[in-house]
Amino acid sequence: MKNKVKSLVLLLGLLVATYLVFFILQPTRFGSAESLFILLQQCLLPSIAACGFYFVLTMGLFDFSIGANIILSALVACMLSVQFGFVGLVIGAILVGTLVGVANGFLYLKFKIPSIIATVGLMIIYECVASYLAGGNSYVLAEEYRILGQAPWNIIIAVIAFAIAMFIIKFTRTGIYIKAIGKNEPMAQNMGVNVSKYKVIGFILCGFFTGITALLTICYSSTVIPVQGMSSMSRNFTPIMGCFIGLAFKKYVNPVISIIIGEFIIAMIISGIMTNGLDSTLQNTIIGVILLVIVAAMGLKNKGKAEVVK
Amino acid sequence: MLKKVLLVVMCVALLGTMVVGCSAPASEDSASVTSSDASAAVETAKESVEPKADGERIKIGVNFFNYTMPLAQDLKRMIDSAAEALDCDVEYAANDFEDEKVVTGIENLFASGCDAVIVCNTAEGQIPKALKVAEQYDGKVFQFFRTLNEEEVKDAAFSSPYYGGQVHEDEMQVGYNMGKIVNDKGCKNVGIINYNHGDLTAETRYEGYMKAFEEFGINVVAETWEVATGEQGTQVTENYLASYPEMDALVVVGGGGENLIGAMSALQKADKTDDIVLVSTDFTDTLIEDMESGTLDAMSGGHWCDPFFSFMLAYNSVAGAEWAQEPVEIAMDMIYVTSAEEAKQYDEWFRGDILPYTAEEIQQLSITHNPSLTKDEFIETAQSLSLQDVMERHADLKE
């Protein structure tokens, strides 16, 4: 209980400290209620993807196809919205995202190769599929459907997604087994857990949440243009960073909460750097350093009792 | 037994590869050449490239970024039309903006029998390597969309018989012109969104903007680089709107269009399209609607005719035009659109059924059909391309 409070204080302290640093530097530019509300909305997208990624990462697996999945799902959703309106948009994004998760899970199991390699290969394939589907055209979502990317709809969808993630992690057999596999896979297997099955489920959940992210992404920015040559990789990093923060604090704080706080900190840093007129290339450096500090601090805290992340 | 058969097959394949590898032109040199040994690359190249004999079919290679971007599709459509009009062959290789694919793409195009290759390179250092490859295949390399800024590389290229020249926009001028438009619209506080640091186009165009802003006393309130995706465009614009209420203009310097669409989405959501002047480069597919709605206020683009002129330069060089045996540099201007009416005209005259150059006009730009064509005429034709120019030339075709 004491550790739980300490960790929560550390996480919230980081949040407040980040806010204060930038607010002191730029009191007129940074930190108004309006800008914080915008930042909150911005952090919802990577937070949802990070929740999905958490189910994979907690088992020691990796999914590099998240960015490509977002592009493919968003593109299909945008195309389907032309034919089927809101239904096509929502179902298209979530269904394609989930199907990509199913494909990732089964192919990972079938080929018995490390998840990093499998998902890098699949990422390239998904990028090509998206480019082929788009056929060189850029798809822009019709204005009437973009409402889902704005408050309050984006917040409602995100809250539902977070609630689902929390429920699965805390109250379902899937969440418990996934956690058990992450802690000690051979032991979980000996206890009768069907490890292969739950690994596939982990990928499917990752795909499902990525699909929701894709839905909000296309509604938020109104377009997604397919890329090739692993350029979708850059979309992976913000969710991955949030997920690492979630993983670092998972012993004491619900990972979904730490993911949201982590992503909010990242959004504040990006905005803070901008308002201070600093070079935007610094963003990734600072975010990378902060991530290392947080994870290293949590590693030190848990020294001797730390779990192995494979 | 199966293992033995497999072993024999693999041994034969290995031997075969070795034989082919040893007999191919020495390519390892090209892999190790850097921009600093550009001079050395030229020193070994004393002979000039022989033009194609009469009646021999000409084949030009095009090394470009991809097949999917609207800009890529427009340029391909124009070049395909030129190849058809000139009855020559064309082969494409996509480099996906990846450095290593530029040189390997050029090598593959020459290996497949191209007499010359036009390339949109991603870095200047690739040109000396490309010239080494061209030397091995006795071909020529021409650039499009790109120029050479490093003196050493430029000198080496322009003194090489394997370098044909470059057709590019004067990005500095484009940035300056767009900055002037911002001033003409009465704006005083500008936010900037740009593509990657190190990207020559982004850097040079940005310099042009800054020159104009300095000259006209426009204040840059914020700038953010490395903005490529739609979400990033939306996020940065939202942050600008929240942090800089005095901002009255937003410049999306470049980046292929996705970041611009994201920025437009943020302005629409915040209902700020009437309050903030938005200017950018690289025409969107929805240019007319965006101009009509007032989301976009000015755009430059339509520069997909650069590769067409690079292609024509390569064709004329291979066909034996004397003036095209030395490197030719052509700086073109973009098409500027500042109203919905102009956007409609661009769509009608550039992207309609009739391209900016008809088959007859293309033939008049080649020495095989127009032997009296001079270098000055060729350059003048390229540099006179504008909306007005096409409307005047094709006025009778539309009737």
Side-chain angles (χ1 to χ4, degrees):
Chain A
M1 187 62 190
K2 201 179 159 189
N3 276 337
K4 191 172 181 172
V5 173
K6 266 189 183 175
S7 298
L8 199 59
V9 168
L10 176 65
L11 199 57
L12 291 173
L14 265 169
L15 184 75
V16 174
T18 311
Y19 174 80
L20 285 177
V21 166
F22 290 116
F23 182 71
I24 290 165
L25 289 171
Q26 282 290 346
T28 54
R29 302 274 185 214
F30 180 86
S32 67
E34 185 201 356
S35 67
L36 287 181
F37 186 57
I38 287 170
L39 295 181
L40 177 72
Q41 291 179 68
Q42 288 176 1
C43 82
L44 296 177
L45 276 73
S47 296
I48 298 169
C51 286
F53 184 52
Y54 176 82
F55 291 106
V56 173
L57 189 66
T58 201
M59 288 189 287
L61 303 173
F62 229 83
D63 187 351
F64 269 130
S65 67
I66 292 173
N69 188 355
I70 290 173
I71 293 173
L72 179 62
S73 305
L75 185 74
V76 173
C78 189
M79 292 163 101
L80 289 178
S81 71
V82 179
Q83 296 273 319
F84 306 105
F86 263 115
V87 177
L89 177 71
V90 177
I91 304 286
I94 297 174
L95 190 67
V96 173
T98 311
L99 285 175
V100 165
V102 173
N104 284 354
F106 278 105
L107 290 171
Y108 160 71
L109 272 191
K110 183 85 182 161
F111 293 124
K112 295 190 186 342
I113 47 176
S115 56
I116 291 181
I117 299 169
T119 52
V120 164
L122 289 163
M123 167 182 65
I124 296 167
I125 294 170
Y126 301 144
E127 283 182 351
C128 292
V129 171
S131 296
Y132 179 75
L133 277 178
N137 302 309
S138 54
Y139 284 84
V140 179
L141 188 69
E143 207 165 340
E144 62 264 33
Y145 304 133
R146 295 181 202 167
I147 193 166
L148 293 182
Q150 298 169 35
W153 295 105
N154 54 353
I155 297 172
I156 292 169
I157 293 170
V159 167
I160 294 170
F162 295 143
I164 295 171
M166 274 183 175
F167 180 77
I168 295 171
I169 292 168
K170 266 279 196 216
F171 301 109
T172 65
R173 185 182 292 178
T174 301
I176 291 161
Y177 283 177
I178 283 176
K179 192 175 173 185
I181 293 167
K183 276 194 174 230
N184 192 330
E185 190 178 318
M187 189 182 280
Q189 198 151 22
N190 289 338
M191 299 278 286
V193 175
N194 186 340
V195 173
S196 299
K197 177 182 160 186
Y198 284 96
K199 281 185 176 177
V200 173
I201 291 175
F203 276 109
I204 294 172
L205 286 171
C206 183
F208 170 75
F209 285 101
T210 307
I212 299 175
T213 309
L215 170 66
L216 290 186
T217 300
I218 188 73
C219 294
Y220 176 67
S221 63
S222 74
T223 187
V224 167
I225 295 176
V227 291
Q228 287 188 48
M230 298 207 278
S231 302
S232 65
M233 186 81 100
S234 60
R235 287 176 187 264
N236 294 340
F237 292 120
T238 322
I240 285 174
M241 283 187 289
C243 195
F244 276 133
I245 294 170
L247 207 63
F249 286 90
K250 74 168 185 177
K251 269 193 163 182
Y252 311 108
V253 186
N254 188 300
V256 176
I257 292 170
S258 31
I259 283 170
I260 299 167
I261 295 175
E263 296 291 2
F264 192 61
I265 291 172
I266 292 169
M268 276 204 294
I269 293 169
I270 292 171
S271 174
I273 287 171
M274 183 268 296
T275 50
N276 279 283
L278 297 172
D279 195 325
S280 47
T281 45
L282 268 178
Q283 281 173 13
N284 292 337
T285 315
I286 293 174
I287 292 166
V289 169
I290 288 175
L291 175 76
L292 283 174
V293 169
I294 293 172
V295 177
M298 288 312 290
L300 282 176
K301 197 167 146 50
N302 297 330
K303 206 173 178 184
K305 50 182 178 178
E307 294 166 21
V308 179
V309 179
K310 290 164 280 178
Chain B
M1 184 61 189
L2 192 66
K3 277 185 184 173
K4 280 183 182 173
V5 173
L6 195 66
L7 196 67
V8 171
V9 171
M10 285 177 75
C11 285
V12 170
L14 186 64
L15 276 170
T17 330
M18 285 166 70
V19 170
V20 172
C22 292
S23 60
S27 60
E28 53 278 14
D29 287 350
S30 65
S32 62
V33 172
T34 62
S35 61
S36 60
D37 28 57
S39 321
V42 176
E43 277 168 22
T44 59
K46 301 288 183 195
E47 294 170 17
S48 60
V49 178
E50 284 297 316
K52 207 88 171 169
D54 281 349
E56 269 190 275
R57 201 169 169 81
I58 292 172
K59 186 176 181 183
I60 309 290
V62 181
N63 187 312
F64 68 154
F65 21 93
N66 58 40
Y67 293 88
T68 52
M69 278 172 68
L71 180 65
Q73 292 197 323
D74 283 333
L75 79 84
K76 188 173 181 298
R77 192 167 158 230
M78 189 69 234
I79 288 176
D80 284 343
S81 161
E84 195 183 333
L86 299 170
D87 194 25
C88 71
D89 294 323
V90 60
E91 187 164 334
Y92 295 89
N95 59 43
D96 295 318
F97 289 118
E98 287 177 33
D99 295 347
E100 66 280 7
K101 280 192 185 173
V102 173
V103 180
T104 51
I106 291 170
E107 195 153 21
N108 291 340
L109 288 168
F110 276 125
S112 73
C114 291
D115 303 297
V117 172
I118 67 169
V119 59
C120 175
N121 53 301
T122 56
E124 289 191 26
Q126 292 150 356
I127 295 303
K129 294 179 189 175
L131 296 180
K132 266 280 185 191
V133 176
E135 182 190 343
Q136 287 156 22
Y137 289 93
D138 201 27
K140 273 193 173 190
V141 171
F142 299 74
Q143 288 177 280
F144 64 89
F145 289 154
R146 297 287 185 262
T147 181
L148 296 172
N149 279 8
E150 283 178 39
E151 278 306 312
E152 193 187 357
V153 177
K154 188 171 184 176
D155 291 346
F158 274 77
S159 56
S160 166
Y162 303 102
Y163 183 71
Q166 52 186 245
V167 184
H168 59 89
E169 290 83 37
D170 185 345
E171 293 294 352
M172 187 83 177
Q173 193 60 44
V174 171
Y176 180 84
N177 291 345
M178 294 304 289
K180 190 172 177 301
I181 290 172
V182 170
N183 180 62
D184 293 343
K185 301 255 178 198
C187 303
K188 286 292 162 207
N189 294 296
V190 180
I192 293 178
I193 290 176
N194 205 351
Y195 196 45
N196 296 341
H197 272 302
D199 182 288
L200 199 60
T201 304
E203 299 270 11
T204 318
R205 202 180 290 159
Y206 169 80
E207 278 177 37
Y209 270 109
M210 297 312 280
K211 188 182 165 201
F213 293 157
E214 202 176 319
E215 192 176 314
F216 300 117
I218 293 171
N219 178 35
V220 176
V221 293
E223 62 177 74
T224 308
W225 290 65
E226 325 290 335
V227 181
T229 66
E231 299 100 278
Q232 288 170 334
T234 309
Q235 279 180 7
V236 172
T237 308
E238 282 180 347
N239 291 341
Y240 281 1
L241 292 175
S243 302
Y244 301 97
E246 72 274 28
M247 184 176 81
D248 52 15
L250 180 63
V251 171
V252 180
V253 178
E258 191 179 349
N259 51 7
L260 171 67
I261 297 172
M264 288 195 292
S265 177
L267 290 177
Q268 285 164 347
K269 268 193 279 187
D271 200 17
K272 291 278 185 186
T273 52
D274 292 337
D275 305 329
I276 292 181
V277 166
L278 178 62
V279 303
S280 188
T281 297
D282 293 339
F283 293 150
T284 56
D285 285 345
T286 52
L287 181 65
I288 298 170
E289 295 91 314
D290 297 334
M291 297 294 285
E292 269 175 343
S293 68
T295 312
L296 264 175
D297 296 89
M299 283 287 272
S300 56
H303 43 302
W304 41 273
C305 284
D306 286 25
F308 161 69
F309 279 101
S310 188
F311 178 88
M312 293 304 297
L313 200 55
Y315 177 87
N316 282 316
S317 176
V318 176
E322 261 180 46
W323 54 267
Q325 300 313 310
E326 296 291 320
V328 177
E329 182 175 1
I330 305 175
M332 295 177 67
D333 205 356
M334 285 194 180
I335 309 297
Y336 296 91
V337 166
T338 55
S339 67
E341 189 53 40
E342 286 176 357
K344 281 178 192 165
Q345 286 171 345
Y346 167 76
D347 199 56
E348 182 185 348
W349 296 91
F350 271 69
R351 303 189 76 202
D353 296 336
I354 304 166
L355 288 167
Y357 294 94
T358 62
E360 291 75 33
E361 287 167 336
I362 291 166
Q363 287 168 354
Q364 285 306 302
L365 284 169
S366 74
I367 60 148
T368 46
H369 295 78
N370 178 14
S372 62
L373 178 72
T374 65
K375 180 180 169 181
D376 289 344
E377 282 170 356
F378 185 85
I379 294 176
E380 196 189 327
T381 307
Q383 290 181 331
S384 62
L385 177 68
S386 68
L387 199 51
Q388 198 60 35
D389 166 53
V390 178
M391 285 163 69
E392 282 169 13
R393 276 192 286 115
H394 294 175
D396 53 335
L397 298 175
K398 292 276 179 182
E399 284 164 6

